[in-house]
Amino acid sequence: DTAVSQTPKYLVTQMGNDKSIKCEQNLGHDTMYWYKQDSKKFLKIMFSYNNKELIINETVPNRFSPKSPDKAHLNLHINSLELGDSAVYFCASSQERTVGTDTQYFGPGTRLTVL
Amino acid sequence: AQSVTQPDIHITVSEGASLELRCNYSYGATPYLFWYVQSPGQGLQLLLKYFSGDTLVQGIKGFEAEFKRSQSSFNLRKPSVHWSDAAEYFCAVSGFKTIFGAGTRLFVKA
């Protein structure tokens, strides 16, 4: 069983389009995250949700909107895609109620390419 | 402010040789420290973590790390590297949010 899954694994799209990436965890964790990894492998947190509540919202463009329908799912919707959005996006989850103090379990990543 | 520095962008080690990957952090209080490994095309996997207690931490796959408060360091070590250890290694420090270092790419030569 996959602990943290993301769909799709690859996403190629044109500038200006709107796309979504889905994430699901079956670990029963309370906290979920979205990270962006750029071409130099630099990993930066974007958002964190704890039990469906937004906890961390880094300075990302408001074209990015996370949605957590329940604590097992955290989706990422991106409007008006730009070339600079090309990256690998990782979803992660952790058990703790206090964000940042526990092991994070990462999904396999979604490679987004904007043409 | 939290920060993590991994001074080595890449390291090449012969198979069977020992390995040390450096990590320096900046954090106001006692940090939560982590080492993660990322194999090509994969997500990150935890190798080990330090919260408190014994400053020498054992992890999976034969890795260990030592927390040195005086040096603000949390270096990762392995006594004998295997070819399958070739990957990207990330040090992370966590308070309210987790900050990752830029990563060190490990190459293993036969």
Side-chain angles (χ1 to χ4, degrees):
Chain A
D1 282 342
T2 302
V4 182
S5 59
Q6 296 179 229
T7 54
K9 189 168 175 62
Y10 300 96
L11 187 53
V12 181
T13 188
Q14 300 287 333
M15 270 198 316
N17 284 351
D18 303 339
K19 291 294 178 185
S20 292
I21 306 172
K22 295 186 177 182
C23 177
E24 177 181 1
Q25 55 96 1
N26 62 6
L27 299 167
H29 287 169
D30 285 335
T31 306
M32 296 185 72
Y33 311 79
W34 276 110
Y35 287 89
K36 179 180 180 180
Q37 187 176 48
D38 63 23
S39 59
K40 295 186 178 179
K41 299 288 187 180
F42 184 64
L43 196 67
K44 191 173 190 304
I45 191 165
M46 301 173 69
F47 302 102
S48 175
Y49 271 74
N50 181 270
N51 206 10
K52 302 196 298 174
E53 182 183 350
L54 182 63
I55 300 297
I56 293 174
N57 184 352
E58 287 295 284
T59 50
V60 301
N62 56 16
R63 298 181 294 104
F64 290 79
S65 54
K67 284 188 173 50
S68 182
D70 55 62
K71 74 173 193 176
H73 296 83
L74 180 61
N75 304 324
L76 182 66
H77 188 75
I78 315 171
N79 290 327
S80 303
L81 278 156
E82 300 177 357
L83 293 176
D85 297 332
S86 295
V88 181
Y89 291 84
F90 286 100
C91 177
S93 72
S94 62
Q95 175 63 59
E96 84 281 7
R97 294 182 57 85
T98 303
V99 172
T101 61
D102 205 354
T103 302
Q104 293 180 36
Y105 294 80
F106 284 78
T110 295
R111 182 175 292 277
L112 171 65
T113 303
V114 182
L115 303 176
Chain B
Q2 292 171 241
S3 69
V4 179
T5 302
Q6 293 181 246
D8 304 305
I9 296 173
H10 55 79
I11 281 181
T12 300
V13 174
S14 296
E15 193 169 15
S18 64
L19 169 71
E20 183 169 28
L21 301 182
R22 297 183 290 164
C23 173
N24 291 97
Y25 68 91
S26 173
Y27 188 69
T30 300
Y32 292 81
L33 293 162
F34 304 81
W35 274 99
Y36 286 86
V37 61
Q38 184 182 26
S39 298
Q42 303 294 319
L44 280 70
Q45 179 187 20
L46 180 75
L47 284 175
L48 47 78
K49 60 187 178 185
Y50 172 78
F51 292 163
S52 64
D54 192 346
T55 56
L56 185 62
V57 181
Q58 301 297 320
I60 62 171
K61 304 183 182 185
F63 285 92
E64 67 178 25
E66 186 170 12
F67 170 61
K68 292 185 177 180
R69 184 188 301 275
S70 61
Q71 298 176 19
S72 297
S73 70
F74 188 57
N75 294 348
L76 182 72
R77 300 193 294 250
K78 186 170 185 177
S80 177
V81 167
H82 187 263
W83 64 267
S84 61
D85 293 325
E88 191 90 25
Y89 291 80
F90 292 93
C91 181
V93 61
S94 193
F96 177 64
K97 61 183 179 183
T98 303
I99 304 296
F100 286 85
T104 297
R105 182 69 185 270
L106 173 64
F107 296 95
V108 180
K109 58 182 182 180

